[in-house]
Amino acid sequence: MLEKFFHLSANHTTVRTELLGGTTTFFTLSYSLFVQPALLSSIGMDFGSVFVATCLASAFATLLMGLYANFPIALAPAMGHNFFFVFSVCGAISAGGMGLPWETALGGVFIAGLLFLIVSRAGMRGRLLQVIPSTLTHAIPIGIGLLIAFIGFQWSGIIVAKPGVLLGIGSLTNPPVLLSILGLLITGLLLARGNKAAILIGLVATTTIGMVFGMVSYSGWISVPPSLEPTLLKLNFSGLLSRSGIIIISMFFFLALFD
């Protein structure tokens, strides 16, 4: 059944490879389940509600990509979009943001999403991407990867804010920092040796070591999910026809188009 549906032989893969790849991808992407709610809760959105919405949206989009498009790409909220949403759109005007309520910003995201669907359905996006130079096509995911790595270095404490030079090395005697560096070393060495499960092994090893030394707490596998009600359908379209609203919609649209 799997062979007939997914054409595994034609794609030079096996069930074992797909299981390993899917598991690795899930654990690698799972950081977004915590980073996105943490970011959006800083502008007043409910942490639990955003957490559940992230789970549902990522699961639905990934299932659609696999079952409908038969393409091995997992989908989850983009960190670049999150940071633009939080700091540029909803951020305080005194800090360089636009100061919009998150409800209005969600309305802008919704309209941009509709525009993206229309352009994609009409085939315009595919034709547009074909004319983009290959160097730029490769540069975009590299840039996204650097952003995610930068966030990881910040949240792990490997790099910290430092007056004068903006960035500095964090405390190398801090246990979480040492654990993060150890995890990177384990993963890097396994990747250098060509181990296909390097990322998954690195994640498991880091988590296990963290639990042994009390840096990672175990609180069970199953719980009742938080309510979606605090953020569900809380869109606000007022003000989006203004100059700033059109700029916001355009920015989210182009981010979705080229990301």
Side-chain angles (χ1 to χ4, degrees):
M1 182 188 70
L2 292 175
E3 172 60 39
K4 183 179 180 180
F5 190 87
F6 292 108
H7 310 292
L8 299 178
S9 298
N11 289 305
H12 308 290
T13 186
T14 64
V15 173
R16 179 184 179 277
T17 299
E18 296 306 306
L19 287 173
L20 181 61
T23 304
T24 302
T25 302
F26 170 76
F27 283 109
T28 306
L29 277 180
S30 62
Y31 76 93
S32 63
L33 298 178
F34 310 100
V35 175
Q36 170 148 304
L39 279 173
L40 296 183
S41 64
S42 68
I43 55 172
M45 299 183 73
D46 182 75
F47 185 98
S49 180
V50 175
F51 174 80
V52 175
T54 304
C55 294
L56 294 176
S58 302
F60 174 76
T62 301
L63 285 171
L64 195 64
M65 181 66 83
L67 298 177
Y68 179 71
N70 195 15
F71 207 65
I73 296 293
L75 299 176
M79 287 301 107
H81 296 61
N82 275 323
F83 277 84
F84 178 71
F85 186 99
V86 170
F87 297 110
S88 297
V89 178
C90 299
I93 297 176
S94 59
M98 298 182 182
L100 264 68
W102 61 264
E103 295 89 345
T104 304
L106 277 185
V109 172
F110 179 78
I111 295 174
L114 286 181
L115 293 173
F116 175 76
L117 283 175
I118 293 170
V119 169
S120 299
R121 189 69 184 89
M124 295 170 60
R125 182 174 185 265
R127 290 194 292 271
L128 183 62
L129 293 179
Q130 288 176 358
V131 300
I132 296 178
S134 60
T135 50
L136 184 58
T137 303
H138 293 306
I140 290 172
I142 292 172
I144 296 169
L146 287 172
L147 171 65
I148 294 172
F150 185 73
I151 295 169
F153 283 138
Q154 280 185 299
W155 284 48
S156 64
I158 295 175
I159 59 174
V160 294
K162 189 174 183 180
V165 293
L166 297 182
L167 290 177
I169 300 295
S171 174
L172 297 182
T173 59
N174 190 357
V177 174
L178 292 175
L179 178 63
S180 301
I181 294 174
L182 178 62
L184 288 172
L185 287 174
I186 292 172
T187 305
L189 289 172
L190 290 172
L191 283 171
R193 293 178 62 87
N195 191 311
K196 294 183 179 180
I199 296 176
L200 182 59
I201 294 173
L203 286 166
V204 173
T206 306
T207 304
T208 303
I209 296 170
M211 292 180 70
V212 170
F213 288 95
M215 286 181 278
V216 178
S217 60
Y218 172 74
S219 55
W221 289 96
I222 300 174
S223 67
V224 178
S227 172
L228 278 171
E229 196 278 331
T231 59
L232 182 63
L233 300 179
K234 295 296 191 295
L235 307 176
N236 186 354
F237 299 103
S238 62
L240 290 177
L241 293 179
S242 64
R243 179 175 176 271
S244 59
I246 293 172
I247 291 174
I248 291 168
I249 293 170
S250 300
M251 285 299 299
F252 279 120
F253 172 68
F254 282 109
L255 280 171
L257 195 65
F258 294 108
D259 207 351

